[in-house]
Amino acid sequence: MKLAFPVVGTDLSSPLDGRFGRAPRFLIVETDSNAFTVLENARNTDASQGAGIQSAQVVIGSGAAALVTSHCGPKAFKVFQSAKFPVLQSPIAPVSELIEQFKAGSLKEMTAPDNAGHAG
Amino acid sequence: MKIAVASGKGGTGKTTFSVALALANRDRARLVDCDVEEPNAHLFLRGGESTTASVWASVPVVDASRCDSCGRCASFCQYNALALAGSAGLMVFPELCHDCGGCILVCPSKALSERKVLRGTVETRVIDGTLELVTGRLEVGSPSAPTVIRAAIENPPALQRGVTIFDAPPGTACSFASCVHQADHCVLVTDPTPFGLHDLELAIEAIQAMTKPFSVVINRSSGDDDLASRHCRRRGIPVLLRIPERREIAECYSNGGSLLDADSSMGERLRTLLDDLHFQVSGGPIQ
């Protein structure tokens, strides 16, 4: 299964970025083989507003089947919910560890946004 | 001539100064309260019959039967107000829309149309038949202060006056810029505190980027050797006026009075100040 991870680094040793919408890039990982691609997200890192909404669009269009993130705000969550795209909540840890947690079934699907959103 | 009275830091005395400047020059100046998130000049300028106009903005609406999810609108929008949600199609976030209409223009399948939403109001009052006060008010929950600020500034004048004073919003962000940008000169009101000076510098940086001429008014001044005066001298910034730190002024303000009520010399000084500014900006007297 393909998963999307907002990351600070560029490979599987990178920890998750604590932000979703303004993460500098996403790793799209095939969990069966650990093969991954890097999706740059610079446009949204620097967006004046609406970074989460656009990052959600990027993730949905990436070919991944679910997102693994530590946080997700209300507008991005609305986009994922409309697209029926699963959002799995996780601690901030290296992607390789999170893949193991995913396989062990310990990443749970979010049912609501977990912060109040950011102005501007 | 249009003068913006701005500050960077809030609470320095923008309204105190602009209300007094307008009152002292009521035969030749009008006042526009551009602090649309929390207008307050009307607390000091009371009376007069009011007329109110609504300020509308257009936001996009999607016709799902025409939209083929090409995404051109979403990639065009600089404010990220549109997004494709996979099989659910296009989503609109009207609260992020800045009313440019670009998404509608770039849509190849004519799937987007306009819907009007209320962004705020503009109220006009003429106090005692001589002083015009225009007040912009942003609708609660609306994100778009500049739309309402522009509407207040462009509202047709009720009285013909040579000078319009904008009481600008605090800060140095979009609201501040959309107001100052339309003025010929910017008066920055500061107080002689480290915080006041810090934000004065931020405001100066923003004004210089817009290449606007500016000068400074020091409120709550303890004289020409206070922190702000020394700072302006060092930086070569012209100081138009010092409003002294005096208890009578604060008491008068808290009772809804103006600087003119608290200090009888202020009226004449504010007339001379406006004459001087007008000469500086346009090279001649106020018409």
Side-chain angles (χ1 to χ4, degrees):
Chain A
M1 182 175 174
K2 270 190 183 172
L3 296 179
F5 298 85
V7 285
V8 289
T10 54
D11 59 31
L12 298 180
S13 68
S14 166
L16 215 59
D17 195 315
R19 309 161 300 172
F20 164 65
R22 292 182 191 277
R25 62 195 69 83
F26 296 102
L27 282 193
I28 313 297
V29 186
E30 174 53 70
T31 53
D32 296 337
S33 61
N34 276 4
F36 65 89
T37 52
V38 178
L39 207 55
E40 291 297 330
N41 194 40
R43 174 182 164 171
N44 296 323
T45 306
D46 299 333
S48 63
Q49 59 172 26
I53 296 170
Q54 293 308 309
S55 291
Q57 176 178 294
V58 167
V59 166
I60 291 167
S62 70
L67 167 73
V68 177
T69 183
S70 66
H71 296 291
C72 185
K75 296 196 193 77
F77 194 79
K78 203 168 148 187
V79 176
F80 286 122
Q81 215 170 21
S82 304
K84 299 189 170 52
F85 191 96
V87 179
L88 307 176
Q89 191 155 32
S90 89
I92 295 176
V95 171
S96 50
E97 283 177 31
L98 294 177
I99 292 170
E100 295 314 311
Q101 291 190 25
F102 168 73
K103 286 177 176 168
S106 54
L107 302 182
K108 299 285 175 256
E109 192 168 339
M110 288 173 75
T111 52
D114 73 337
N115 68 41
H118 317 285
Chain B
M1 174 176 70
K2 289 173 274 187
I3 303 170
V5 178
S7 69
K9 175 179 173 284
T12 58
K14 287 181 297 300
T15 304
T16 300
F17 175 72
S18 31
V19 164
L21 187 64
L23 276 170
N25 293 280
R26 56 199 305 160
D27 54 322
R28 50 194 192 160
R30 47 199 287 280
L31 177 61
V32 181
D33 194 342
C34 296
D35 188 3
V36 302
E37 288 180 62
E38 195 61 72
N40 63 344
H42 64 278
L43 301 175
F44 304 94
L45 300 172
R46 297 172 294 269
E49 228 172 273
S50 88
T51 53
T52 302
S54 299
V55 182
W56 300 94
S58 300
V59 300
V61 191
V62 195
D63 178 350
S65 67
R66 285 176 173 241
C67 177
D68 59 6
S69 299
C70 74
R72 279 184 220 186
C73 55
S75 62
F76 177 83
C77 181
Q78 295 301 299
Y79 297 100
N80 295 329
L82 301 131
L84 285 173
S87 54
L90 189 66
M91 292 179 76
V92 181
F93 291 83
E95 67 273 29
L96 300 184
C97 174
H98 281 53
D99 193 19
C100 78
C103 54
I104 295 168
L105 290 177
V106 300
C107 175
S109 16
K110 302 201 182 326
L112 293 171
S113 56
E114 290 183 349
R115 174 171 67 91
K116 296 273 179 215
V117 292
L118 185 68
R119 290 291 199 218
T121 58
V122 175
E123 181 197 49
T124 306
R125 284 193 293 118
V126 177
I127 293 106
D128 299 333
T130 51
L131 176 56
E132 178 183 355
L133 171 66
V134 177
T135 304
R137 270 195 192 85
L138 187 66
E139 190 69 3
V140 172
S142 172
S144 184
T147 310
V148 180
I149 292 169
R150 272 193 300 274
I153 289 174
E154 288 161 10
N155 195 56
L159 299 176
Q160 291 312 311
R161 296 287 185 262
V163 177
T164 299
I165 302 159
F166 304 150
D167 187 1
T172 50
C174 300
S175 302
F176 159 89
S178 61
C179 176
V180 170
H181 158 75
Q182 303 212 38
D184 302 304
H185 184 97
C186 184
V187 175
L188 291 168
V189 183
T190 187
D191 51 30
T193 62
F195 185 8
L197 289 195
H198 176 269
D199 283 13
L200 173 68
E201 278 304 316
L202 291 181
I204 289 174
E205 219 176 295
I207 287 169
Q208 284 175 332
M210 292 188 270
T211 61
K212 290 280 172 203
F214 66 93
S215 50
V216 165
V217 165
I218 303 172
N219 191 16
R220 301 181 51 205
S221 172
S222 55
D224 62 6
D225 200 37
D226 66 23
L227 200 58
S229 299
R230 275 183 278 140
H231 181 80
C232 290
R233 222 167 14 244
R234 207 166 42 239
R235 297 267 278 104
I237 300 164
V239 175
L240 287 183
L241 179 75
R242 286 184 185 80
I243 302 167
E245 165 95 305
R246 276 185 16 215
R247 191 182 171 87
E248 307 89 86
I249 295 177
E251 279 175 1
C252 187
Y253 174 89
S254 66
N255 289 317
S258 84
L259 263 184
L260 306 188
D261 303 317
D263 181 340
S264 56
S265 74
M266 202 49 90
E268 206 37 53
R269 289 166 70 189
L270 290 172
R271 288 190 74 85
T272 311
L273 184 153
L274 197 67
D275 282 326
D276 291 348
L277 259 188
H278 197 274
F279 256 99
Q280 220 183 88
V281 169
S282 69
I286 302 168
Q287 297 297 320

